[in-house]
Amino acid sequence: MAGWERKQTDTDKGIVIPDNWPGYPLDLFTFPEHYSEDLDCVYIPHGVIMDRTERLARNIMEDLGDHDIVVLCVLKGGYQFCADLVDCIKVLCRNSNKTLPMRVDFIRLKSYLNDQSTPDLHIEGAENLSGLSGKNVLIVEAIVDTGKTMKTLLDHVEAFRPKMIKVAGLLVKRVPSGTGYLPDYVGFEISNRFVVGYALDYNEYFRDLNHICVISDRGKQKYKI
């Protein structure tokens, strides 16, 4: 895709979207009419998300195939990515000489107020993770920005003594305050813009948007709490 860079490194950073990427005009795509004045652009179209997710599923299958895993979905923003990733892995299992038996569990994190990450991290479901002991765990998260939330979650999960932990993140943000943490499997590396859609929300709105979009200032004001 014009203007996008694909970096090949030992640690896969995914598709790197540069800071000057303007996104696509809204009128090139379909989206719910009630968001017509709440978005600046389509940042990553749904079809591109799905193609990249399929590639991540193949990478995971190559690395973890023939091992039982527990997929730990981080709610709420990660539910769509997790569902599509699991579906892609299931397709590969049906058409490959490898198999990847999976069970899916859920955990909910909340660290945002409006468009700002807060130091207070609320974890729901952490007390029910005793079943991870001795298991291979794949944490699936929609977005990693500073990396602090993910590191806190990893500390929680490690306390249950799993055999192995891998992390798949659809989006990794380049932020000045970042810790440098990078998931094992990355969909896209993006600039420090507030994005919504594909289950990513702004105060619970925009989860019903298929594409990943940049929210407008009007949208932030409209749904601010």
Side-chain angles (χ1 to χ4, degrees), residues 26 29-39 197-198 206-211 213 222-223:
L26 296 170
F29 298 88
T30 58
F31 56 90
E33 180 63 26
H34 50 268
Y35 293 140
S36 59
E37 297 181 343
D38 305 327
L39 304 168
Y198 195 66
F206 301 100
R207 295 196 196 275
D208 53 340
L209 185 63
N210 282 340
H211 312 294
C213 299
K222 181 177 178 180
Y223 301 112

Side-chain angles (χ1 to χ4, degrees), residues 19-67:
D19 290 342
N20 61 355
W21 172 246
Y24 293 99
L26 296 170
D27 58 7
L28 296 179
F29 298 88
T30 58
F31 56 90
E33 180 63 26
H34 50 268
Y35 293 140
S36 59
E37 297 181 343
D38 305 327
L39 304 168
D40 277 341
C41 66
V42 173
Y43 197 65
I44 309 175
H46 182 257
V48 177
I49 299 169
M50 294 304 297
D51 281 358
R52 181 61 184 149
T53 300
E54 185 177 347
R55 176 70 254 190
L56 292 180
R58 189 181 303 179
N59 292 346
I60 291 167
M61 190 73 170
E62 289 171 355
D63 292 346
L64 305 180
D66 297 328
H67 292 81

Side-chain angles (χ1 to χ4, degrees), residues 68-73 103-107 125-139 153-154 156-165:
D68 289 15
I69 66 169
V70 177
V71 177
L72 186 59
C73 175
R103 70 178 179 87
V104 181
D105 210 339
F106 300 91
I107 192 168
E127 67 279 2
N128 299 320
L129 299 180
S130 57
L132 300 182
S133 178
K135 300 293 195 303
N136 300 307
V137 178
L138 176 66
I139 298 174
L153 176 58
L154 286 170
H156 274 274
V157 174
E158 286 171 356
F160 293 94
R161 300 187 178 277
K163 181 179 179 181
M164 177 192 69
I165 305 175

Side-chain angles (χ1 to χ4, degrees), residues 4 7 9 20 52 65 69 91 97 114 135 141 149 159 161 164 188 211 217 220 224:
W4 291 15
K7 288 186 177 180
T9 61
N20 61 355
R52 181 61 184 149
I69 66 169
V91 170
N97 58 0
N114 296 318
K135 300 293 195 303
E141 170 67 292
T149 297
R161 300 187 178 277
M164 177 192 69
F188 304 87
H211 312 294
D217 289 339
K220 289 180 183 178
K224 187 176 181 180

